[in-house]
Each structure stands twice: as C-alpha cells, then as structure tokens.
C-alpha cells in the first residue's frame, strides 16, 4: 500500500486553508455537533456521493433545500479510497456515472471549495480508505471540517491484504495533522467508523475498536472525536451502547477532548416494502434520541434496492427528523434493562481494551493483539483479523457472543453471553449457518417479508 506513489498535488498550506475556513464563515462540523447536544436534539446527516462534479453540487443543494440536514456528506469513490487515482480519472473522463462516489482528489481541492461554498451545512468526507493521507490534505484544502475513518476500522472491514501496521501508521499521520490544525485553531471532527463489518457487530467490539482509535487520535492531538455505533436492532441494547460512549470517553480519554455519540441507522438487510423500511428509519431515529446521540446517519426506503435517489434521501431525512419532535417526549425506555445492558457493555469493553492500553507502544500492541485474536472483529475479509468471533441474536434480538474466540473475556462475561443466548429457548435456528442467516435477516422476519431477492 505505501509503495504506491502519491500524485503531485497543488495544495495550499495549512495556514492558508485555516484562513479560508475562517473566512468561509460557516459553522464547522464540531460546532454543529456541540450545538445539537446543547439543544438536546439529534443532528441529521445523509449519505451521498456521485462522480460528476455538477451532479454532486446539485445533489448537495437539493438535499439542503428540501430537508435541511445539519451535516452533508461527500462519499468518496472506491478508486480514490484505494489510491487508484489514475483509474478514478479515467472513469471520470469516460463516464462519471461509473464511479460509486465523488473522486475529490481527482476533481481537486478548488472544486471541493466550490461544493463547500454552495451549501450552508458543513461537509464530512466518508470513504473507507486504509491510507487517506492525500484525501485528508485535499479535504482540508477544500475547507472540509469532518473526516471519517481510522487505522483499524477503515482497513479490516474493507481490505484483504493491507497490513494493519501500514494503515495504523498512515492514520497516525492523519491524526497528527489534525493535531497540527487544532494548534492553528481549526478543530477537525474525527469520526470513527464503529460500524465495522456492519452486520451483527457486538456492541463491545464496535466500541472497543473506537476506544483504541480514539486514544491513538487523542495522543496525536485530535481534539474532537465522534464515535459512531451501528444500530444492531435491539432497542435497549442500542440505547445502552450509545450511552456507553460518554462513559468510555470519561474513562479513557483526556478531559479536553470533546466526544460525540453517532448512530448509523441499521446497516444490515433492509425491508423492501416502503412502509416497513420507513418504520425502521423512524425506529432508528428514536434509538438515537433516547440514547443521547449527537448525530444520526440516515437511511432511505430504497436501501434494499441499491443506491437511493435524491428524493429518497430527502424523505429519509424528513422522516428521521420527526424523532426530534418535542411531542415525542412521552416515549420512555426500560431504564432498568438499559442499565443492565450498559453495565455489561462497559465490562466487556474494559476486558478487551485495557490489556492493550497498558502496553508501552499502542500501535505495536494493536497489531500483536489482532495477530493473537485478543482483538478481533466478526466477518472480516482481512487476513490481519482472525474473525473467530461469532455473534448471534438471543431470542429477544440482542446481539451476544456465540463464540468469543481469543478475546480476553473473564469467565463471568463468557457465562453471561452463554446464559443470554440460552434464555427463552435460545437463538433462532438450530444449525449455525441457518441461524446466522436468520439473524442477518432479522428485520425481514420482524416485518414478515421473504428474504428472497427482489425481482
């Protein structure tokens, strides 16, 4: 990965970029998140990204005009994510619609500024790159104030053969640049991709990876961290996972690092029927509200069919925004159950991360821990994760550890997961493969939809 040459870039200095952001006069992503938390509301952000510059401009403006999201997104194409800049340029010249996102490096930072100046909401770059150094500096030059990813979370779910040591080193440079910018007065929101492999991710695995990335980032000078958690599907467990984020920040991060909780609406198999999909969108938004999330990454009723169109993106934002209504204050959650889930999540995260955080060299220890299975994520395609962890849904829908692999769990934690899965007759399905398939299709079963592919 690091052998690939970075293309020459006509980038302005950090000093000029900081001056540009100040002159732009719009709130940064960190400003927006801080204001949303102070107001007790959940900020909203759609996913969006197309290859054409003109169409990207129109997409951002349409979303802002019709749905007023708090943060807007540049989703980056897969060629740029993998530093295949020549292929991104060739696709852009041939047909921009062939790209599955916006090739910011290829379009260049000046066009990035055009997008930034076309909307009032701050922009975030979302991508999936194990080495995002050039993309980051181009984003900063474009005046973009939020950047997603991390050395673990943007490698192991996406890449098969990128050594973890390389992605961690590349992201360490990104974090150090954020520290430099913070020293110049520009705080970049560093959002961590706790979603990982998206399907059946146990909350403590998601949060443990984010804790390690957040600690690494803070040590390099990052001053604003957003910890993103994927909606798993069990209401109280998801609320507890979001409420665990400030508790983990207080336990493991310096007090001068601001931390925001972010919820990704369900990333697994989405219902095909529009009404069912919309029920799930509102359900996710209520999880975000009751969990105290600062921001919600929204979905659309077209998720089951591929990349949604602009109208679906607008409708998804408008529906999710209903959860911010003051009229919904009567909705309560089972606080006793949330407290029980929170206690176990914090215990599991502590058992995973604290042996790693005790090491003299955090980066070397993360690599060694993944090699030995002391750190692990389920369903990873990477040869640098063992993926010995096997999650299952308990009968009530909560995600538990069917197999914890070599995670350093205590006997009590292992018994807790075994008992949870055994309760009420055990998880759905006797055969493991059939059971996992049923767990993945959880919401299809809840809505009575067939898992058959759409025609």
């Amino acid at each position: 990965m690091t052998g690939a040459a970075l293309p020459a870039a006509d980038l302005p200095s950090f000093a000029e970029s900081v001056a540009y952001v100040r002159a732009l006069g719009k709130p940064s992503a960190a400003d927006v998140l801080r204001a949303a938390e102070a107001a007790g509301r959940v900020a909203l952000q759609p996913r969006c990204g197309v290859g054409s510059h003109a169409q990207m401009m129109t997409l951002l403006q349409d979303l802002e005009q019709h749905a007023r999201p708090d943060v807007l997104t540049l989703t980056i194409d897969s060629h740029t994510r993998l530093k295949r800049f020549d292929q991104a340029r060739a696709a852009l010249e041939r047909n921009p619609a062939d790209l599955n996102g916006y090739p910011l490096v290829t379009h260049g930072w000046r066009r990035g500024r055009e997008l930034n100046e076309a909307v009032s909401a701050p922009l975030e770059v979302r991508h999936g790159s194990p080495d995002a150094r050039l993309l980051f500096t181009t984003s900063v030059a474009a005046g973009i104030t939020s950047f997603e990813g991390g050395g673990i979370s943007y490698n192991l779910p996406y890449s098969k053969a990128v050594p973890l040591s390389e992605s961690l080193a590349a992201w360490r440079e990104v974090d150090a640049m954020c520290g430099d910018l913070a020293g110049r007065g520009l705080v970049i929101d560093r959002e961590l991709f706790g979603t990982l492999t998206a399907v059946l991710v146990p909350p403590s695995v998601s949060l443990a990876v984010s804790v390690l990335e957040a600690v690494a980032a803070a040590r390099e000078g990052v001053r604003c961290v957003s910890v993103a958690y994927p909606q798993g599907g069990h209401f109280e467990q998801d609320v507890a996972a979001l409420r665990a984020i400030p508790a983990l920040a207080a336990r493991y991060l310096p007090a001068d690092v601001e931390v925001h909780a972010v919820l990704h609406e369900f990333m697994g198999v989405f219902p095909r029927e529009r009404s069912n999909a919309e029920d799930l969108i509102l359900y996710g938004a209520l999880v975000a509200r009751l969990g105290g999330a600062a921001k919600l990454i929204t979905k659309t009723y077209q998720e089951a069919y591929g990349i949604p169109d602009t109208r679906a993106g607008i409708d998804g934002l408008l529906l999710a925004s209903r959860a911010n209504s003051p009229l919904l204050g009567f909705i309560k959650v089972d606080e006793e159950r949330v407290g029980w889930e929170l206690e176990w999540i914090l215990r599991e995260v502590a058992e995973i991360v604290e042996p790693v955080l005790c090491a003299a060299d955090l980066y070397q220890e993360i690599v060694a821990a993944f090699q030995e299975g002391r750190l692990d994520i389920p369903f990873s395609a990477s040869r640098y994760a063992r993926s010995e962890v096997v999650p299952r849904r308990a009968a009530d829908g909560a995600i538990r550890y069917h197999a914890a692999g070599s995670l350093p769990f205590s006997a009590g934690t292992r018994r807790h997961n075994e008992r949870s899965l055994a309760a009420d007759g055990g998880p759905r399905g006797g055969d493991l493969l059939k059971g996992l398939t049923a767990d993945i299709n959880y919401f299809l079963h809840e809505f009575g939809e067939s898992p058959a592919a759409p025609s």
Side-chain angles (χ1 to χ4, degrees):
M1 181 190 67
T2 53
L6 298 177
D10 175 27
L11 293 172
S13 68
F14 274 178
E16 197 279 340
S17 296
V18 171
Y20 167 75
V21 172
R22 286 178 178 154
L24 192 57
K26 61 197 282 186
S28 69
D31 293 333
V32 167
L33 295 172
R34 207 177 298 125
E37 286 198 309
R41 60 182 295 274
V42 182
L44 301 177
Q45 179 180 353
R47 294 173 175 81
C48 56
V50 293
S52 161
H53 179 65
Q55 291 179 1
M56 189 73 233
M57 180 87 75
T58 300
L59 175 57
L60 293 174
Q61 290 175 322
D62 284 346
L63 289 166
E64 182 157 277
Q65 178 183 354
H66 297 289
R68 308 302 299 178
D70 299 273
V71 181
L72 279 161
T73 302
L74 291 187
T75 300
I76 304 300
D77 69 291
S78 53
H79 287 311
T80 300
R81 297 174 199 176
L82 299 173
K83 300 197 301 184
R84 300 192 300 237
F85 303 113
D86 289 342
Q87 288 156 280
R89 179 170 297 283
L92 189 62
E93 292 173 351
R94 183 178 63 250
N95 179 14
D98 290 344
L99 294 165
N100 60 350
Y102 185 80
L104 177 61
V105 173
T106 304
H107 279 301
W109 60 274
R110 293 179 180 84
R111 283 189 165 184
R113 288 189 178 184
E114 290 176 6
L115 297 178
N116 212 358
E117 292 163 13
V119 291
S120 58
L123 300 179
E124 177 176 56
V125 163
R126 314 182 73 87
H127 46 112
S129 175
D131 179 358
R133 290 171 294 176
L134 183 57
L135 179 60
F136 176 78
T137 52
T138 305
S139 300
V140 171
I144 293 169
T145 55
S146 184
F147 199 78
E148 188 187 40
I152 304 169
S153 60
Y154 262 11
N155 180 352
L156 301 185
Y158 289 98
S159 301
K160 180 178 180 180
V162 177
L164 195 52
S165 58
E166 291 190 11
S167 59
L168 288 168
W171 278 93
R172 187 175 190 174
E173 289 187 31
V174 169
D175 289 333
M177 286 188 277
C178 287
D180 183 353
L181 289 162
R184 298 169 186 268
L186 177 60
V187 173
I188 301 293
D189 168 45
R190 280 280 292 108
E191 186 169 323
L192 308 176
F193 188 64
T195 296
L196 300 175
T197 43
V199 176
L200 289 178
V201 177
S204 55
V205 163
S206 167
L207 295 173
V209 168
S210 289
V211 164
L212 295 174
E213 290 185 338
V215 170
R219 290 179 181 178
E220 298 300 322
V222 169
R223 285 295 167 265
C224 180
V225 173
S226 289
V227 175
Y229 166 78
Q231 181 187 2
H234 185 276
F235 201 90
E236 287 84 3
Q237 188 180 43
D238 288 334
V239 167
L242 288 170
R243 293 184 184 180
I245 290 169
L248 293 168
R251 183 179 294 177
Y252 297 113
L253 293 174
D256 62 348
V257 176
E258 62 178 293
V259 177
H260 304 284
V262 175
L263 180 69
H264 283 257
E265 287 192 326
F266 190 63
M267 298 283 280
V269 180
F270 233 71
R272 293 188 299 279
E273 294 293 332
R274 177 169 175 169
S275 59
N276 296 337
E278 290 179 333
D279 285 352
L280 184 50
I281 290 168
L282 181 60
Y283 183 67
L286 291 172
V287 169
R289 173 184 175 134
L290 290 166
K295 188 175 75 173
L296 176 67
I297 310 297
T298 60
K299 284 281 192 173
T300 78
Y301 57 80
Q302 293 180 343
E303 296 302 323
Y305 298 93
I307 297 174
D309 60 27
T310 304
R311 185 68 251 175
I314 292 168
D315 289 343
L317 283 162
L318 293 175
L319 176 57
S321 72
R322 300 276 63 85
N324 276 324
S325 170
L327 299 182
L328 297 181
F330 68 92
I331 298 178
K332 305 297 181 187
V333 66
D334 182 344
E335 292 292 346
E336 183 176 355
R337 176 63 187 270
V338 169
W340 184 77
E341 293 285 352
L342 177 59
E343 180 181 339
W344 279 106
I345 289 171
L346 293 175
R347 176 172 171 169
E348 289 178 359
V349 173
E351 291 181 0
I352 295 171
V353 303
E354 290 187 357
V356 179
L357 292 174
C358 288
D361 188 315
L362 177 60
Y363 296 89
Q364 288 183 8
E365 185 66 11
I366 290 172
V367 173
F370 271 105
Q371 286 175 341
E372 297 163 9
R374 290 183 284 118
L375 291 174
D376 204 357
I377 63 175
F379 311 126
S380 172
S382 173
R383 64 183 59 162
Y384 297 96
R386 289 193 175 191
S387 287
E388 293 175 343
V389 168
V390 180
R392 290 296 314 272
R393 287 192 189 277
D396 64 359
I399 299 173
R400 308 295 184 198
Y401 292 89
H402 172 76
S406 299
L407 294 180
F409 281 156
S410 64
T413 295
R414 290 177 184 271
R415 281 198 302 273
H416 159 66
N417 279 275
E418 291 167 2
R419 289 170 179 166
S420 297
L421 286 173
D424 298 324
R428 303 165 184 230
D431 176 84
L432 180 58
L433 182 57
K434 289 181 180 178
L436 283 171
T437 302
D439 290 344
I440 290 169
N441 290 322
Y442 178 67
F443 281 110
L444 296 188
H445 292 297
E446 290 295 302
F447 288 114
E449 289 192 17
S450 165
S455 59

